[in-house]
Amino acid sequence: MAHTPTHNQTKHWQAIDAAHHIHPFTDTVALNKEGVRVITRAEGVYLWDSEGKKIIDGMSGLWCVQVGYGNKELADAGCEALRVLPYYNHFFKTTNPYTAELADKLSKLLPEGHTRVLFANSGSEANDSALKLIRYYWNLKKKPQKKIHLSRDYAYHGVTMAAASLSGLTPMHPQWDLPLAGFQKVPAPYWFGAKAAGYGDMGPDEFGVLIAKKLEEKILEIGPERVASFSAEPVQGAGGLIFPPASYWPEVNRICRKYDVLLHADEVITGFGRTGQWFGCQTYGIEADVITMAKGLSSGYQPISAISLGKRMGDVIANANEELVHGYTYSGHPVACAVALKNLEVIEREKLVARVKNGIGPYLHRRLHETFDDHPIVGEVRGVGLLAAIELVPDRKKRAFFPLDPGAVGTHCRNYCFNSGLVSRAIRDTMVLAPPFVISESEVEEIISKLKAAIDNTARDYGKM
Ligand code: PXG
């Protein structure tokens, strides 16, 4: 829809949405009182709402629109596949060129040994599938007692029964009587929060080793013979952009090998260039047995996800000599695969991963540091690739959080951002950015100036400026 809708159309969409559409992670009553925002189109790094307001999207939708909105090549690839082969499945000894080509392409981009993939339709489904495959692997290896799945505090792995059980954001559990049995948590390598959590004043590297050791302690407490897997995002995203200290992942690799625990890397956010390499596993040297990916695989243009198996799991599962009793109607959907293939082609051809690593990524971080390092309510500016976080704190010299109602300050600041036409996420009191890879320097400047105004206003409202 190229034109701006009328105000009456907006009212109509708000009314039918309020009557019939229940939104994810939303208080329905509160939303309907306030009135929902209707997004009608998008181009590059901008969204437009139905009232004609232009909004810069500092979050790439939900961390996914790597190539930006309105990419015609992706649209054309999808349209062509819709005409040529709108649907067929892979259940009955069939494949199609789009799905086979995408599997081949992924095997070339993924870390070494990850030569086999399965497809699904969302990050949650991919993680659910990964856990099933982990269980299957241990059953095939005649170690059926290995059934405990470990993951971390603040982890976000999605919302299916298993993916939500794996998630360590505690508000995700009580409504659904989760986690399921067999899911246990270990601490996250959240250095900025370490002092407040009672770990004292140690440096990041010492802290990284200490937190990895907590995984070892948990494995030993349960008994290694009962632990199936450890699932982790290379960088924790929805839990507050937690970047692991450099010492953390090498220790985790070692511990998982030592106790024969499968390592599952959830690359749903970090995959496809977000950290400045194709995969977060490459940025952090993670030796994963199974990798899940979604979002950036198609830049969000189509719902598609994948699970890749490293050599160890792949060899066993692909040679099981029996039917794999798993799969979705839409696994490897031809239209989604066609769009994903084109998306990977564009990312490669336009050298967007190198742009994130050496060009626009460093530019964003330099400008964030210049603008916020000395700000009275900024405790830390941190980031990798095109992921950035700004911790809002009452006193920038102390690593302590705002007391009372955690998250209120972040939400307050987020509202200023929205009102000025900037999408940024507030996770607790951390402001988060994950813009599209095609963002220009002047668009970065627009984000920085809007964010600066929002943080200044927040500081004033809380009597800190
Ligand atoms: N793993 C990770 C690491 C994710 O970030 C999922 C799995 C689940 O993917 P699906 O496609 O099932 O949603 C995610 C999704 C937020 C936000 O507000 C983040 C996600 C989803 C919705 C909101 O930060 N991440």
Side-chain angles (χ1 to χ4, degrees), residues 67 99 125 148 190 197 199 239 280 331 344 360 386 392 436 448 452:
V67 300
T99 313
E125 275 184 12
I148 307 281
Y190 181 26
Y199 286 104
S331 306
L344 300 181
I360 200 68
L386 271 181
L392 303 184
I448 300 240
K452 170 88 165 58

Side-chain angles (χ1 to χ4, degrees), residues 104-111 272 278-279 282 344 348:
D104 178 54
K105 184 73 200 170
L106 286 173
S107 77
K108 294 184 172 113
L109 295 175
L110 279 157
F272 306 102
W278 276 97
F279 291 92
Q282 294 152 338
L344 300 181
E348 246 180 347

Side-chain angles (χ1 to χ4, degrees), residues 62-63 122-124 127 156-158 233 238 266 268-269 295 425:
L62 284 176
W63 324 73
S122 69
S124 302
N127 285 333
Y156 187 83
H157 295 292
E233 305 149 78
D266 179 344
V268 168
I269 284 180
K295 296 189 189 280
R425 279 272 275 113

Side-chain angles (χ1 to χ4, degrees), residues 317-366:
I317 287 172
N319 294 311
N321 250 311
E322 62 177 8
E323 181 180 323
L324 178 85
V325 190
H326 179 77
Y328 308 97
T329 301
Y330 302 127
S331 306
H333 192 288
V335 178
C337 288
V339 172
L341 266 173
K342 187 56 75 177
N343 173 58
L344 300 181
E345 185 189 316
V346 169
I347 292 176
E348 246 180 347
R349 194 188 62 222
E350 306 294 326
K351 301 191 171 43
L352 293 181
V353 181
R355 186 165 196 271
V356 170
K357 184 170 185 213
N358 305 318
I360 200 68
Y363 182 85
L364 172 71
H365 298 301
R366 180 169 64 76

Side-chain angles (χ1 to χ4, degrees), residues 28-73:
T28 304
V29 171
L31 174 69
N32 292 342
K33 235 182 247 159
E34 195 180 319
V36 72
R37 191 203 293 270
V38 186
I39 298 294
T40 49
R41 67 188 178 93
E43 182 69 38
V45 299
Y46 291 99
L47 306 164
W48 279 264
D49 74 12
S50 57
E51 303 283 88
K53 182 168 172 153
K54 186 177 174 187
I55 303 154
I56 189 162
D57 185 2
M59 283 306 298
S60 306
L62 284 176
W63 324 73
C64 56
V65 188
Q66 323 294 67
V67 300
Y69 299 98
N71 186 296
K72 198 168 171 307
E73 283 186 82

Side-chain angles (χ1 to χ4, degrees), residues 255-315:
I255 291 163
C256 288
R257 286 294 155 265
K258 180 169 178 191
Y259 299 105
D260 207 13
V261 168
L262 291 172
L263 179 50
H264 162 210
D266 179 344
E267 294 251 21
V268 168
I269 284 180
T270 50
F272 306 102
R274 189 49 76 185
T275 66
Q277 304 230 31
W278 276 97
F279 291 92
C281 284
Q282 294 152 338
T283 302
Y284 291 98
I286 302 167
E287 294 161 10
D289 295 296
V290 50
I291 297 175
T292 47
M293 61 209 93
K295 296 189 189 280
L297 169 55
S298 67
S299 280
Y301 280 48
Q302 286 286 294
I304 181 168
S305 62
I307 306 100
S308 73
L309 302 177
K311 185 166 168 42
R312 180 178 180 194
M313 283 180 75
D315 284 353

Side-chain angles (χ1 to χ4, degrees), residues 191-202:
W191 178 76
F192 188 80
K195 208 166 151 191
Y199 286 104
D201 218 353
M202 63 184 77

